[in-house]
Amino acid sequence: MAEQLREGNYSRFGASRLADGICFTFEGEKDSDCAIRLYEKRKGTDLSGVYRDIPIPKEFCIGAVRSVCVDGLNAAQYDYNYVIDGNIVVDPYARRIIGREKWGDYSRRETHYEVRSGFDFSEFDWKNDHCPEIPGEDMVLYKLHVRGFTKDGGVTGRNKGTFAAIAEKIPYLIDLGVTTVELMPAYEFEELVPPKHEEHLMDFEGWAPQAVTGYQMMQQKEYEEKEKELPGINYWGYGSGNYFAPKASYAAGGSASAEMKEMIRALHAAGLECIMEMSFDAQVNPNYIVDVLRYWVLEYHVDGFHLLCSDTAVASVICDVLLRRTKIFAMRFPSEAWEQTCSYPHLYVYNDDFLYASRKLINHQDANLIEYLNQQKKQHSLVGFVNYFANNNGFTLADTFRYVTKHNEANGENGADGNDWNYSVNCGVEGPSRKKKIMQQRGQLMRLAIASVVLAQGVPLIFSGDEFGNSQGGNNNAYCQDNRTGWVNWKQLEKNQDYFSYVKELLALRKLHPCIRSRVPMQMTDYQSYGMPDLSYHNAQAWSGEIYPSMQAVGEAYCGAYRGETGDFYIGWNFSQSGMSLALPRVAAGNEWRIVFGTGHVSEDHDRIQIDGCSVVALVTVPGKPKKAVSEKTAPVKEEPVKTEASGKKNLTGQKRAKRREQRHG
């Protein structure tokens, strides 16, 4: 059948399949000369040099949208791009990208990193798949890089560093206590970054031989030497991308779309969610961003998105009716008045303030206990907060206690890159150490750090590998480290099973007690007359003690009745190097405080508790006689060589109020 042109469908962008051809719709002014460039596919390569252009009649235009149906076109024979006023344009709605099937393929520099738009009309059997829609208060986020998560272990064979490997690791994630997996950019992006000198071509090719000077000959030789340099690697994948296509080199098999869908289907079958991190330039049209996210929700059943984009775009996304129950994660509150149209609480904000407040207090650098407590209880009626002690930007959790200074020399930027404000310590030795005392101290601090995240009211986020002490050798900006610096080192899991078990125990404790993962903001009053506030703070004295910014120990008491628990919950924090004594609030007659979790040696004496330095302990009220003591030794972490808004106010004031509470509890 000969190819025939007719006006297309302006409502659906990209390439869509018809009964007997293909419809192409894209942005193009009516006055522009537009064409579809069809590249012939040949055996052994997807990038042939044979192509032909199909000009698009200018009357096939509405506004700045061009659309044409090409009847009789066989998609299996071609790849395509658009030609607009002589410029080659990759389809921003392309569902497949041709040319990046192999990760870090340096031979592509010969074609100047050329890519083409590809057709993908494949069907997928979702088998009654449904999004889990895990409530925000039940979420435990686990952020990973698709390639780096398993490239250096965790799975065997050809699946390393792929979507298929993540599916293999689902039992591990469930065992840890994860509910939601966040993928760093997994859509198509250009990982090969041309060397800087390629941006400025030399002009020696036009020099006349008789006019070449010694200096020019030196320049030519220098240029030829630089030509041998390999491109850099955009390992993380941030920046502009081809947002409708999954990353082909992240697939173990031939179809990235099928493999990614299989991964998401497997996650859902196990009750886990999948969140995609998406990075857009500030000038990208918010309508395009909405189109992108809608596509991933409808076509790939994605549960949510971590957006790096303008505030205006975030506001457009969270107000979109189709995305109303899709989880949206942003870096800050959007500036628009989105609250008026947000009928479902699906917005979450990444909380850098928590990272700094906890690091400063644990590492004794400009510490402020009240700042920390405010971040611990931080909640909002419509917005959830994502808390983390470490993320891909900055030191890993383990490196926060191994390095004072960032060690980014391998990045090739003379140490100018990466965050300078790490609030880190090295416990006496910069880098790995085999000294037992230093390993013991680092182990204590790591336990205290992860407890600060898991026992806070917001959504806890664990960066992959932090659950067993993964290190990046002090590199706090591994964006270009596609090697064992940037990959998760699974050998550390075998060496640090004690710490891994500790993290699992913490997450299980959080799941068991709704009062420490409430979506409702704490009022710090007894507004339902249960006999004690929903949350109260205690120091050496119960109820009447005042909390100061300079203090290093505090007790947090949660009234379980406010969240449907039969008992109350108490967390004792000691950030000092020496043991501290904290008061336990008196409980109802017949009940006692019982220790359910703790680091270091903890002793109990009626209404007081003694906590070792750099330790945390959790207690619950239960009927009967309490245990007198619990001892849990802090195992060393092994290493490889290489303002409350009330700011300082008394949380409960007056001896009369304290006495009244004691009378209520008998």
Side-chain angles (χ1 to χ4, degrees):
M1 174 181 173
E3 295 169 357
Q4 301 290 329
L5 302 186
R6 57 187 172 87
E7 195 165 9
N9 179 2
Y10 296 95
S11 64
R12 185 172 183 179
F13 281 78
S16 53
R17 183 168 55 184
L18 305 173
D20 55 357
I22 307 294
C23 182
F24 299 89
T25 304
F26 60 97
E27 180 182 348
E29 297 291 345
K30 189 171 186 177
D31 296 334
S32 295
D33 292 323
C34 299
I36 301 166
R37 177 159 293 183
L38 297 174
Y39 302 90
E40 290 185 14
K41 287 188 175 181
R42 292 184 174 182
K43 289 184 179 181
T45 179
D46 282 327
L47 293 179
S48 69
V50 179
Y51 65 86
R52 60 190 175 93
D53 291 345
I54 301 178
I56 301 175
K58 292 190 176 183
E59 58 267 26
F60 291 176
C61 181
I62 296 180
V65 178
R66 307 290 287 268
S67 185
V68 61
C69 293
V70 185
D71 294 329
L73 179 62
N74 185 353
Q77 298 177 358
Y78 300 99
D79 301 319
Y80 74 100
N81 278 329
Y82 300 127
V83 183
I84 302 177
D85 290 332
N87 298 312
I88 307 298
V89 178
V90 177
D91 187 355
Y93 285 80
R95 297 185 174 198
R96 182 184 176 195
I97 294 298
I98 307 299
R100 299 196 194 111
E101 290 77 9
K102 180 181 177 181
W103 172 271
D105 183 3
Y106 295 118
S107 67
R108 292 182 51 236
R109 69 191 306 183
E110 303 301 325
T111 60
H112 302 287
Y113 315 107
E114 177 186 1
V115 295
R116 297 171 184 174
S117 311
F119 300 104
D120 186 357
F121 303 129
S122 57
E123 301 290 336
F124 184 79
D125 183 4
W126 282 100
K127 299 181 179 179
N128 298 317
D129 173 78
H130 294 286
C131 296
E133 288 196 6
I134 297 170
E137 59 270 24
D138 296 338
M139 274 200 301
V140 176
L141 267 172
Y142 189 87
K143 186 173 184 179
L144 60 86
H145 185 282
V146 175
R147 178 173 169 85
F149 183 49
T150 56
K151 190 63 179 173
D152 196 29
V155 299
T156 58
R158 65 195 300 265
N159 285 349
K160 286 185 176 182
T162 65
F163 298 121
I166 295 174
E168 279 192 49
K169 296 299 294 183
I170 287 175
Y172 168 84
L173 297 171
I174 293 175
D175 181 50
L176 176 59
V178 169
T179 69
T180 308
V181 176
E182 178 184 333
L183 310 179
M184 292 172 68
Y187 49 84
E188 275 290 358
F189 59 86
E190 180 57 79
E191 71 271 14
L192 296 181
V193 182
K196 292 181 179 180
H197 68 270
E198 289 190 12
E199 300 171 4
H200 307 285
L201 296 179
M202 303 288 287
D203 61 353
F204 59 78
E205 294 179 354
W207 294 340
Q210 65 274 17
V212 175
T213 66
Y215 175 72
Q216 289 172 329
M217 291 178 65
M218 182 181 67
Q219 280 187 305
Q220 179 175 347
K221 183 177 180 180
E222 182 180 348
Y223 176 81
E224 291 172 348
E225 287 297 320
K226 286 185 175 181
E227 275 293 286
K228 300 176 183 178
E229 294 180 14
L230 295 176
I233 287 286
N234 175 20
Y235 168 62
W236 283 351
Y238 296 115
S240 60
N242 305 101
Y243 297 104
F244 283 78
K247 185 86 176 131
S249 59
Y250 286 174
S255 173
S257 62
E259 189 171 312
M260 187 174 185
K261 289 173 183 177
E262 288 168 359
M263 176 200 72
I264 294 174
R265 185 179 63 189
L267 288 169
H268 287 176
L272 304 181
E273 296 176 309
C274 181
I275 308 297
M276 289 185 66
E277 190 170 22
M278 311 287 286
S279 174
F280 299 94
D281 293 337
Q283 67 272 17
V284 174
N285 190 323
N287 295 328
Y288 175 70
I289 294 176
V290 170
D291 283 352
V292 170
L293 305 191
R294 282 185 165 195
Y295 169 76
W296 284 100
V297 168
L298 294 174
E299 186 69 21
Y300 284 82
H301 294 199
V302 169
D303 301 278
F305 303 95
H306 177 187
L307 297 180
L308 305 178
C309 60
S310 68
D311 292 350
T312 302
V314 173
S316 298
V317 168
I318 59 180
C319 294
D320 184 79
V321 291
L322 192 143
L323 301 173
R324 185 62 53 83
R325 298 184 75 89
T326 298
K327 290 175 178 173
I328 304 301
F329 299 83
M331 298 308 297
R332 53 188 170 272
F333 279 80
S335 57
E336 304 292 333
W338 53 270
E339 297 97 331
Q340 300 175 6
T341 58
C342 188
S343 60
Y344 181 78
H346 65 140
L347 176 63
Y348 299 83
V349 174
Y350 276 69
N351 189 10
D352 259 2
D353 292 340
F354 179 93
L355 180 150
Y356 288 111
S358 55
R359 285 194 183 187
K360 288 192 292 184
L361 186 59
I362 291 173
N363 290 332
H364 301 167
Q365 298 178 23
D366 193 23
N368 186 318
L369 181 63
I370 291 177
E371 178 187 13
Y372 173 79
L373 292 175
N374 284 334
Q375 294 302 322
Q376 277 279 313
K377 74 179 184 67
K378 190 174 184 178
Q379 280 291 30
H380 187 280
S381 58
L382 289 177
V383 178
F385 292 96
V386 178
N387 298 326
Y388 43 91
F389 191 87
N391 207 329
N392 58 289
N393 283 307
F395 281 144
T396 66
L397 187 146
D399 283 354
T400 305
F401 307 110
R402 295 178 186 174
Y403 298 91
V404 170
T405 306
K406 63 184 180 182
H407 294 269
N408 299 356
E409 294 81 7
N411 294 358
E413 299 184 37
N414 297 318
D417 65 307
N419 193 352
D420 292 320
W421 303 96
N422 294 293
Y423 294 98
S424 60
V425 295
N426 62 17
C427 300
V429 173
E430 186 78 353
S433 173
R434 296 190 181 277
K435 293 183 178 180
K436 186 175 180 180
K437 183 177 180 180
I438 291 176
M439 294 169 65
Q440 185 84 11
Q441 184 179 2
R442 289 174 176 176
Q444 282 184 309
L445 294 174
M446 286 173 61
R447 284 165 169 76
L448 194 56
I450 196 65
S452 72
V453 175
V454 175
L455 299 180
Q457 286 294 317
V459 178
L461 180 146
I462 298 173
F463 185 55
S464 57
D466 278 350
E467 71 273 19
F468 51 77
N470 186 64
S471 172
Q472 292 180 173
N475 192 314
N476 75 348
N477 187 32
Y479 75 98
C480 58
Q481 295 300 319
D482 178 37
N483 48 48
R484 287 179 173 169
T485 296
W487 300 340
V488 174
N489 180 1
W490 287 91
K491 291 180 181 178
Q492 290 297 311
L493 175 60
E494 302 171 9
K495 296 180 179 180
N496 293 320
Q497 273 293 322
D498 288 343
Y499 182 68
F500 176 73
S501 297
Y502 171 86
V503 177
K504 284 173 54 178
E505 184 182 352
L506 263 175
L507 292 172
L509 183 70
R510 177 184 176 87
K511 184 177 181 180
L512 193 61
H513 294 282
C515 62
I516 56 173
R517 51 181 175 84
S518 171
R519 183 67 186 257
V520 180
M522 293 292 172
Q523 302 298 315
M524 302 198 72
T525 62
D526 187 12
Y527 57 91
Q528 291 188 8
S529 301
Y530 285 123
M532 64 184 293
D534 54 358
L535 171 63
S536 54
Y537 299 146
H538 309 269
N539 54 28
Q541 294 180 333
W543 303 118
S544 60
E546 190 168 357
I547 306 300
Y548 296 100
S550 59
M551 293 173 63
Q552 295 186 15
V554 68
E556 297 176 296
Y558 291 92
C559 178
Y562 277 93
R563 302 296 173 258
E565 294 193 54
T566 56
D568 300 325
F569 193 88
Y570 180 96
I571 307 173
W573 301 97
N574 182 9
F575 300 99
S576 72
Q577 297 290 335
S578 57
M580 299 284 282
S581 177
L582 291 173
L584 294 169
R586 185 172 296 179
V587 296
N591 286 346
E592 300 285 354
W593 286 110
R594 179 168 297 172
I595 299 168
V596 293
F597 178 85
T599 63
H601 178 76
V602 183
S603 60
E604 195 174 350
D605 182 17
H606 300 295
D607 59 351
R608 305 196 67 76
I609 191 164
Q610 184 74 22
I611 312 176
D612 282 357
C614 299
S615 295
V616 58
V617 63
L619 303 91
V620 297
T621 56
V622 296
K625 189 176 181 180
K627 296 180 179 179
K628 290 298 182 182
V630 170
S631 178
E632 180 183 316
K633 294 182 179 179
T634 302
V637 176
K638 300 176 183 177
E639 305 170 24
E640 290 189 339
V642 194
K643 266 178 166 204
T644 68
E645 280 72 8
S647 184
K649 293 182 180 179
K650 296 180 180 179
N651 52 10
L652 294 172
T653 58
Q655 297 294 330
K656 291 182 179 179
R657 187 176 295 179
K659 186 176 182 180
R660 192 182 308 129
R661 287 195 176 86
E662 292 181 2
Q663 291 172 347
R664 286 180 182 174
H665 290 292

